[in-house]
Every structure is written in structure tokens, then in C-alpha cells.
Amino acid sequence: MDDTRLRAVIREEIALAVKTLGEVAERREDSDLDAVTYDFGAYAYVGACETADEQRTRDAENPFEEATSDEAVDPAVTALVKAEVLSVLKDMRSAFYMSGYRDDYQIAERLDGVIKAREAVGE
């Protein structure tokens, strides 16, 4: 794991721990610190970590998969981003075609396939 990703995971874990501890403390009606600590360590944080690990595994399998949660991005924003990505892919394809090198031409043909696939999905 590269250094940047490792730092991101550490920040995520710290945020998850603080968030989970706050949720456990809020759910407990009594202010018994030992009970809050036990609930946090024995149940809540373990479950939160398992969920986060599962999400990271899914993200690693397909990092470009669209989010399907209730917090999805506005459809207009999604359409704009997809259009911009398609535009960049087309610009890259043109640049590779115009270079004149055979290897670049093969890259351009692959990009052409990616562009056609993205356009077919967008229809």
C-alpha cells in the first residue's frame, strides 16, 4: 500500500473510531464510562471496522463503480462528469491517432472501444 493511501486509511480509521465512540456514548442512557468503553470495544467498533473493510474491498475490486447509496450525486452533476470524461477520452484518442506511431495507434483503437462502450451505456 502506498504512503498516501496508508495515510488516508489511518485518517478514515481515526474518524470511524471517534464517530463510533460518539454514537455509543449517545445511545447509552447512563454515563457509565466503563459500559460505554466496553460497548465500543466489544461490539460497535468491531462492527464498524468490518463494514469499512468490506467497503474498501469492494472499492478495490472496482474503484470506478458508481455509488448506489441514498447519498448519490445529483443526476445533472453525474451527466456533466460523464460528458467531460467522454470528451477527455475523445481528445486522448485523437492525440494518439495523430502521433503517427503504430503503438499509439493501437492505444487509440483501444480508447475508441472504451468510448463506444461508454456511449452505449449512456444511451
Side-chain angles (χ1 to χ4, degrees), residues 25-70:
E26 194 173 286
R27 280 196 306 259
R28 297 288 304 192
E29 292 180 10
D30 57 358
S31 59
D32 182 10
L33 185 59
D34 290 334
V36 170
T37 304
Y38 177 77
D39 286 351
F40 170 77
Y43 303 108
Y45 186 62
V46 172
C49 286
E50 288 173 357
T51 302
D53 289 343
E54 290 170 4
Q55 183 61 45
R56 283 190 197 107
T57 301
R58 284 192 301 272
D59 291 346
E61 288 172 1
N62 189 359
F64 301 107
E65 186 175 357
E66 300 271 338
T68 57
S69 69
D70 294 337

Side-chain angles (χ1 to χ4, degrees), residues 1-13:
M1 183 180 301
D2 68 8
D3 202 35
T4 303
R5 182 63 189 136
L6 181 60
R7 287 184 181 142
V9 169
I10 291 169
R11 283 193 302 270
E12 289 171 8
E13 289 296 317

Side-chain angles (χ1 to χ4, degrees), residues 1 10 15 17 21-23 25-26 33 37 52 59 62 67 71 74 77 84 89 93 95 103 110 118 122:
M1 183 180 301
I10 291 169
L21 182 59
E23 289 171 353
E26 194 173 286
L33 185 59
T37 304
D59 291 346
N62 189 359
E71 300 173 9
D74 184 297
V77 173
E84 288 299 316
L89 287 172
R93 177 187 61 188
D103 289 343
R110 288 185 190 140
R118 288 187 70 92

